[in-house]
Structure formats: C-alpha cells, structure tokens
Amino acid sequence: MSTTRNSPSKILYAMILGLLAGLIARGLVSSPEVLLPWINGLTKPIGTLFIRLILMLVIPLLVSALISGVLEAGTGKNLGKMGLRTLFIVIILSSLSVFIGLGIVNWIQPGRFVPQAAIQAMNHTLPPKIESKGIWENMLQIVPMNPLKEAAFAFDPKNSEGGIIAVMFFALFIGIAMLRVPEKEARPVREFFQSLFTISQRGLEIVLKLTPLAVACFLFNLGAQLGLEGFRLIGVYVAVVLAALLLHGVGVYSFVLIFGTNHHPIHFFKKTSEALLMAFSTASSNATLPKSLEVAEKKLNLPPSVARFVLTIGASANQNGTALFEGVTILFLAQVYGIDLSFAQQLQVAGLCILAGVGTAGVPSASIPFIAAVGAGVGIPLEGVTLILGVDRFLDMCRTTVNVGGDLVCAAVVARGDREKEDRVL
Ligand code: ASP
C-alpha cells in the first residue's frame, strides 16, 4: 500500500513555475520560434523521457495487475455469493460511469475547442488517418493470435491489430484459466505475477518522482508556445471531466444508495467525508484504504467481513472515476487529433475503460500509462498525453474521490444483501 511522495503542492509549484517561465520567455522574445532550440533541446526531451519511462512499465504493470486482480477476486476465500455480488455491482457502476463520460464527451466535443494549428505549434505530429473497420473485425482483433507480438508492437501506431487490447484479453484469459488449475500447481505462476505487480508498482513510483520536473517542462512548452491561450484550450475538457465525475459521484451514487441500501445519500456522504477528503488529498485509493475501512466499520456500521472484502478489492479493482476519466480523455485526444472513432471503436474503448477500472493501480497518475497505451491503439500520438499532464494532478484528486466513494457505496450495497440473508436465516 505505498504511494508516491509527490505532494500536490510540489506539483502545483512545478506547474506555476513552468508556466510562468514559459510565459515570461514568450514575452521576452520577438517570436515563439526563437524558443524552439530550448524546447527541442531541453524541455521536450525531458518530457518525452518521462513518458517513455512510464510506457516502459505499461506491459508488466497491466498484465500483472489484471492476472492478480482476477485471481484475487476468484480465489477460494473470496469466492461465493459475496464475490459475485461485488463483481456484479463493480461492473454495473463502472459501465454506468464510462457511458456517462462517453455520452458527455460526445455531446460537448471538447476536442473541437483545440485548433489543429495549436497542436502543430506544439510540434505534435498529426497521426495518419486510420481507416475504421467493421464491428466484427474490431471484435476479433481483441483475441491475439500472438500475444507476444501484440505486446512488442503495442505502441507502434502502424500496428493495425489489437495491440494493448489484445494483451489485456490474454492476461484476463490466463487469470481465469489459472483459477481452474489446482492451487498447488498454479502457485509459482501466481506468486510470480503478484511479485511482478509489486515490482512494477514500485517502478512506477520511482518514475513518478519525476512528475514535478516533467510537469514543469510540459507547462513551460505550453506557456512558451501557446501563451495563456493554451489553458483556454483544455479548459472545456477539464469542465467535461468534472461534470461527468459529479454526475456519477453524486447522481448515480445517490440513486444506488436510495434504492440499494438503507443509507440516506446526504448522511452517507457526511459519514464518509473523512475518507473522501483523504482520497482527494492523496490521489491514491490504495493509500486511502485504511481510512475507508475505518469509516465503513465505525461510521457506516458495515460488517467488518464485508467492509474488508469489498474495500480491499475495490481499492485496486473498482475505480469508477478512473474508468470515466480514461474514456473521456481518450475520446478528447482522438477529437483533438481529428481521429474519427467509429461506433465499434468507441464501444471497444468503453469496454477497455471498464476493464481499466480493474487494471489501473490505485496510486497517483496510474491512469496515464493506460491512456497512452489505449490511445496509441486508436492512433493517438504518444505525446498527446502531454496535453493533459499539466491538469492531471487536480483531475486525479477528483477521480480518486469518486473511486473511493464508489468502493464505499459498493460495500454498503453488498452489506445490505448480507444482512437480508442473515435476517432470513434467523
Ligand atoms: N489515482 C487513482 C487512484 O488511486 C488512479 C488513477 O486514475 O490514476 O484511484
């Protein structure tokens, strides 16, 4: 349960510093072109290094997280009705969150507010137009003929096969197959993937220590090349993410609480406020887990066995805010780069984001590698992610609050079912 040491204030200072430096530099020179040698020779390579370091960890992190997640949800001690009920609620809540996000991003089209000239001004290469395929072709690509090849070419924009999607399918399939192998025989591989997951998470933590430096560089580039205009461009995107998170975190959760539990939404949010605030300030579901457990048992009076089971799994595998954010961001970036995603491709992105709720680690910025990877799969250039990095910490704080809220709502629903079962026995 570790988290990175990047405090929000450090990142905030880095943002302000980078942006101010960029704006001042832009003000001092006759034309932004004069700054290009600095950008291309210093700040851009640092940012690219950061993205490459993250991408280096994507495959081991995703594969081990998915396999361990399936094993954790399906092993002996966790199996049974409680596990199934949790899984059912997780899937329903995640799907709702993703479709809310995709609905709003399709409606508002925040990517249209970013003119292509701005992207070119930032030296981002526009991707070649990818021909959209039929629904069956897209679906069949999810199943890799050669998972190693898909992993090797996952970030190659010319790879027209399943890429990261196919790798995720393979990991899920192996996880499910492992559940059907006697425990003793599966143990070495299970331990390998659990250990790989811990190591990859630690690797990500090390890389994320560079976040303030990378964010300062990205904002320098943004400020120097686009001036304050740069912020107006992504302002609509930020507003769309916040509106969708609010709709899900307040609207959907209240609805579920009213019809699925005995808790009044206002009382529920009041009682859980400590955990929600902690999620907001740490931007990590894992780091918030001890607080969520305390709140669930002491304030919501949920049975400890239910709280422990649902919240432990939920801290890594039930991330509604993350799933929603990833869907909105991928579609936003596709709009920015003029990539027309067909209905089938959007459905595929939605399915992946629902899976991402399981596969994204509960640590700050864990969504970023996923966005880069799935984005590459639909033709979004890798540097596209840099467009949103400056605002990611703030959005991470908001989506993590929705993640933790979703875990507590899920625990309350499962606990109600459990109590009803007990009442029937008595
Ligand atoms: N920070 C999120 C969490 O811990 C994960 C993410 O979306 O980056 O829940």
Side-chain angles (χ1 to χ4, degrees):
M1 306 288 144
S2 47
T3 180
T4 46
R5 303 275 170 268
N6 282 322
S7 63
S9 52
K10 230 191 211 168
I11 297 178
L12 191 70
Y13 294 146
M15 279 174 73
I16 297 174
L17 209 79
L19 182 67
L20 278 182
L23 290 175
I24 292 173
R26 186 185 165 91
L28 288 179
V29 295
S30 48
S31 125
E33 245 78 303
V34 180
L35 296 171
L36 274 183
W38 284 96
I39 292 172
N40 288 337
L42 185 69
T43 46
K44 205 174 165 200
I46 295 178
T48 310
L49 172 73
F50 179 69
I51 302 285
R52 288 184 75 110
L53 283 168
I54 291 183
L55 289 177
M56 176 177 83
L57 296 166
V58 165
I59 300 283
L61 191 71
L62 259 184
V63 170
S64 58
L66 277 174
I67 294 185
S68 310
V70 172
L71 292 177
E72 189 151 324
T75 41
K77 60 180 185 329
N78 291 337
L79 253 183
K81 293 235 168 71
M82 207 199 292
L84 282 179
R85 223 177 307 145
T86 308
L87 190 71
F88 177 73
I89 300 164
V90 165
I91 291 176
I92 296 285
L93 283 179
S94 292
S95 311
L96 277 174
S97 72
V98 171
F99 286 111
I100 286 178
L102 295 193
I104 298 190
V105 81
N106 269 307
W107 176 39
I108 309 276
Q109 304 263 334
R112 299 280 144 87
F113 291 80
V114 185
Q116 302 275 295
I119 301 298
Q120 272 150 356
M122 291 188 76
N123 283 355
H124 288 192
T125 24
L126 292 174
K129 285 254 177 280
I130 292 184
E131 293 238 344
S132 55
K133 299 177 190 152
I135 193 155
W136 276 113
E137 227 174 311
N138 270 307
M139 292 297 166
L140 284 174
Q141 278 176 1
I142 296 176
V143 185
M145 285 191 287
N146 180 348
L148 288 181
K149 182 182 147 247
E150 294 309 322
F153 292 97
F155 306 120
D156 183 349
K158 287 191 238 60
N159 180 16
S160 58
E161 289 285 316
I164 200 76
I165 308 172
V167 177
M168 284 167 94
F169 177 85
F170 175 70
L172 275 182
F173 190 85
I174 291 294
I176 294 168
M178 277 169 73
L179 285 174
R180 309 189 88 88
V181 170
E183 154 60 296
K184 211 168 131 226
E185 279 168 56
R187 196 178 308 138
V189 181
R190 164 198 295 264
E191 284 174 355
F192 168 78
F193 280 114
Q194 275 162 348
S195 153
L196 182 64
F197 180 55
T198 315
I199 295 166
S200 318
Q201 254 189 310
R202 176 49 61 97
L204 188 62
E205 263 178 48
I206 297 171
V207 173
L208 289 177
K209 288 210 166 94
L210 290 176
T211 308
L213 177 66
V215 162
C217 289
F218 294 135
L219 281 157
F220 176 86
N221 297 349
L222 199 70
Q225 291 175 298
L226 300 179
L228 277 176
E229 176 72 350
F231 272 87
R232 205 180 54 76
L233 300 179
I234 51 171
V236 181
Y237 156 75
V238 172
V240 164
V241 174
L242 293 182
L245 284 175
L246 205 68
L247 193 63
H248 187 76
V250 177
V252 172
Y253 289 171
S254 299
F255 184 82
V256 174
L257 285 168
I258 292 170
F259 293 102
T261 74
N262 303 322
H263 299 270
H264 188 284
I266 295 185
H267 297 156
F268 182 89
F269 290 127
K270 248 194 198 152
K271 285 180 185 164
T272 55
S273 59
E274 270 179 52
L276 299 179
L277 272 176
M278 178 142 178
F280 185 75
S281 47
T282 60
S284 167
S285 311
N286 281 358
T288 312
L289 180 59
K291 191 71 189 169
S292 309
L293 284 168
E294 186 192 308
V295 160
E297 289 176 31
K298 302 221 171 93
K299 301 248 164 101
L300 296 175
N301 292 323
L302 303 185
S305 60
V306 176
R308 257 168 245 167
F309 174 79
V310 180
L311 294 177
T312 314
I313 294 189
S316 313
N318 178 34
Q319 303 194 340
N320 299 178
T322 291
L324 179 155
F325 166 77
E326 291 172 346
V328 170
T329 305
I330 290 167
L331 258 68
F332 163 70
L333 291 176
Q335 291 165 2
V336 167
Y337 289 101
I339 300 165
D340 234 342
L341 294 182
S342 64
F343 183 66
Q345 283 173 307
Q346 290 211 17
L347 267 189
Q348 211 175 56
V349 170
L352 280 171
C353 293
I354 296 168
L355 269 186
V358 180
T360 307
V363 295
S365 303
S367 288
I368 299 301
F370 178 88
I371 289 169
V374 177
V378 292
I380 296 167
L382 290 180
E383 68 258 57
V385 137
T386 59
L387 261 185
I388 56 136
L389 274 182
V391 287
D392 183 58
R393 183 61 184 215
F394 172 64
L395 295 181
D396 197 0
M397 292 159 86
C398 300
R399 66 181 180 257
T400 308
T401 310
V402 174
N403 288 346
V404 170
D407 296 341
L408 289 160
V409 169
C410 185
V413 177
V414 174
R416 179 177 173 183
D418 226 48
R419 284 209 182 104
E420 277 171 2
K421 202 174 68 201
E422 273 168 28
D423 292 348
R424 275 201 298 275
V425 173
L426 287 176

